[in-house]
Structure formats: C-alpha cells, structure tokens
Amino acid sequence: MLSESLTKTKLTDPLILDLLQNIRDHRSMLEDLNSIKIDPKLTNIISKEIGRELYIENEFHKAKGFRKLHIEVAEFSKNLKILHCVFFPDPKFDIPIFGMDLVKINDIVSAAIVDLSPASQNQGLKYEKLLSEVDKSPFTSLREIPKWGGIFSNNVFFASLKSKSEKNDFCRVVDQYLTILIKLSKKAKPEVDEEIIQERIDFQKNYCVQQMKNEKTSMVLLKYFDEKWVNNYIKTVLFDFK
C-alpha cells in the first residue's frame, strides 16, 4: 500500500513506484517491523516556489536484524527524480548493507545502482556467489564505480538504463538482491562477540564516510538549502554513524 502522503503528490513515475512497491513488499517480510519516529520536518519536505519546486519523503523503520531501514523519494524542479534506499543491519547480526539508488532526469535514467555491501571483513563469502548468479547480461551501459566505491561488493550493479526492457530488468535485479538479503536476515542470529560487533560498526561507519564523498548528493541539495541544513541532512538522515 502506498503511503497516503506519496499518493497525494504528483510523483507518479511508474519505474520509481514499481521499485518502491517492491522494496516495501520485501521490507514487510522482516520480523518485528516498526516505524521509527523522526522529526516531522524531515519526513515530508515540500517547496512550491516557482522554479525551485521540491518534494522529499522519508520513511524510517527498524526490524529484527536491522537498525535502520530508510527509503527516500525525491523530486526536484519537476525534472530530477530520485529513489534512495539503504537498509543498515544491526551490528549484532551477520547481514550485509542493502543499498539502491535510481536517478532519473526527465525520462532518462542516468544512474541505477544496487548492492549488498559487506558489513564485515569476510561476510561477502556468504552471498557473493548468489549475487554473481543474478543475470545482468541485458544491460548495455554499465557505469564505472566511483573512486570512493571500495565499500561495495564485487557484484555491485551500476548502469544507465536505456530502454523499457532495461528498466524492467533493473527491477528484476533489485528484486533478486532483496530476496537474497531477506533470506540472509532470516538465518542470522544475534552474536555477543564484542570484537566482531565492533568490526561491523566500523564497516558501517566507513560505508557512511565513503558515501558522503559522493559530491553529487550535496550539489543537488545545495541548490535548495543552505550548507548547514544539507550537512545535517546527509549526516543524520542519509548516512548516520549510529
């Protein structure tokens, strides 16, 4: 079910809505799923100023094995649309970080990325084979991982989407990555070893630090907000260090 606030907006992009529904459907499979209350000013951010129209919706949840499940839908000046999602695991559980971003300018999907990023040193051994078996052959415009992208797995998927069939295939890839994530989370048991828990905390901190090196995020937001607001939003909403 789409949230009431989202259905009231003009954001009706079918690709984003399909991906959003898919993510929510998988999220609903998690145990002990509960919403996290955040500052209402950060839940829905809307501007109707001519030429600077803006809409951002944030959803925050937590669940067994996950400390924060974040989904952000945004539209800037009626032409730039973004879907951003990160599922941060609880460091007590051996679960990777799910991340997905879609950037669409008018009708062009310039960036589509999805990954299960390792949250500890050897974690990828558990699921890399499963990710490698996901069919990524239909895509014609794979993109180079940025310099700060060492946080991603060997099977991170990053491309521009050139056709309707590629958009459909990206939805399939996201669905398969999420399916693998849910299966891993169902098997994961809480641990008490402080050393491995601290290692996972450190990996999540590094994930956030490296993500913040993506200057494109702040460049977009700085067109609409002052620097103090942007820095706070990035550090507390998008990539927190908890």
Side-chain angles (χ1 to χ4, degrees), residues 42-201:
L42 296 175
T43 304
N44 291 87
I45 306 164
I46 299 172
S47 170
K48 296 182 180 179
E49 182 183 343
I50 302 298
R52 292 168 56 84
E53 296 89 352
L54 160 71
Y55 171 74
I56 300 175
E57 179 186 89
N58 285 298
E59 297 179 16
F60 286 99
H61 291 77
K62 60 182 178 179
K64 181 181 178 181
F66 294 90
R67 67 173 182 86
K68 187 173 85 167
L69 306 160
H70 177 215
I71 300 173
E72 177 200 58
V73 179
E75 183 176 34
F76 299 92
S77 299
K78 297 183 178 180
N79 62 355
L80 172 61
K81 301 179 181 72
I82 294 171
L83 175 59
H84 164 81
C85 176
V86 181
F87 288 179
F88 286 105
D90 179 335
K92 292 179 182 177
F93 291 78
D94 190 16
I95 301 171
I97 302 167
F98 172 78
M100 193 234 73
D101 283 280
L102 185 94
V103 179
K104 189 173 184 181
I105 303 173
N106 296 318
D107 291 326
I108 306 299
V109 178
S110 60
I113 186 168
V114 64
D115 191 36
L116 297 185
S117 303
S120 62
Q121 187 66 42
N122 297 311
Q123 186 185 64
L125 298 174
K126 284 190 171 185
Y127 63 86
E128 285 283 13
K129 185 175 185 296
L130 295 172
L131 295 184
S132 69
E133 291 171 351
V134 175
D135 182 15
K136 309 175 189 77
S137 62
F139 300 94
T140 59
S141 299
L142 297 179
R143 292 189 54 178
E144 185 177 348
I145 299 300
K147 292 180 180 179
W148 51 266
I151 53 176
F152 299 125
S153 77
N154 293 330
N155 285 284
V156 58
F157 175 82
F158 186 29
S160 300
L161 307 182
K162 299 298 186 182
S163 65
K164 189 176 189 328
S165 64
E166 288 192 357
K167 293 173 185 177
N168 291 337
D169 277 313
F170 181 68
C171 290
R172 172 187 54 78
V173 170
V174 170
D175 179 75
Q176 289 177 280
Y177 274 47
L178 280 167
T179 298
I180 293 168
L181 176 76
I182 300 301
K183 286 181 179 177
L184 290 169
S185 72
K186 297 288 186 185
K187 295 178 181 178
K189 306 293 182 186
E191 296 181 49
V192 294
D193 185 332
E194 293 295 331
E195 188 173 340
I196 186 61
I197 291 172
Q198 186 59 51
E199 181 182 323
R200 292 172 187 158
I201 291 171

Side-chain angles (χ1 to χ4, degrees), residues 215-239:
E215 296 178 350
K216 292 180 180 179
T217 304
S218 56
M219 284 173 59
V220 170
L221 292 171
L222 284 169
K223 294 178 181 178
Y224 300 85
F225 304 98
D226 63 51
E227 188 173 356
K228 181 179 179 181
W229 188 97
V230 171
N231 288 337
N232 179 68
Y233 186 80
I234 291 174
K235 290 180 180 179
T236 62
V237 175
L238 297 181
F239 303 111

Side-chain angles (χ1 to χ4, degrees), residues 201-213:
I201 291 171
D202 292 341
F203 263 67
Q204 286 199 39
K205 287 182 178 180
N206 184 56
Y207 182 92
C208 292
V209 168
Q210 297 306 313
Q211 286 278 7
M212 286 191 286
K213 292 181 180 179

